[in-house]
Amino acid sequence: MIDRFYSRKKIQPVLGHDIDKPRLTLAGFVLIFFYLGVPAMLIGGLIDLLVQLTTGHCVGVWCLFIK
């Protein structure tokens, strides 16, 4: 069953045109960043804020610039 996913298939022309294999474009990288990166940064920032509010110690990246 695994061989089915890794086997090379002969590229078939579509309406007489040879189409390249799928690839990740700049728009794809941007969408991945917004889908995965931004929520991770927001969750990390909220955790840092909660730690700072409860303990009084700044643990976020912005603490490097405040002092």
Side-chain angles (χ1 to χ4, degrees), residues 6-55:
Y6 291 110
S7 65
R8 296 251 178 188
K9 295 179 183 176
K10 184 178 178 185
I11 298 174
Q12 297 288 330
V14 177
L15 296 175
H17 298 284
D18 291 331
I19 297 176
D20 292 335
K21 61 182 176 179
R23 65 185 187 278
L24 197 55
T25 60
L26 179 63
F29 282 115
V30 170
L31 288 174
I32 288 172
F33 171 73
F34 280 116
Y35 187 74
L36 298 174
V38 171
M41 288 187 293
L42 288 175
I43 291 170
L46 286 174
I47 291 171
D48 290 340
L49 180 65
L50 289 174
V51 168
Q52 183 176 355
L53 291 176
T54 56
T55 64

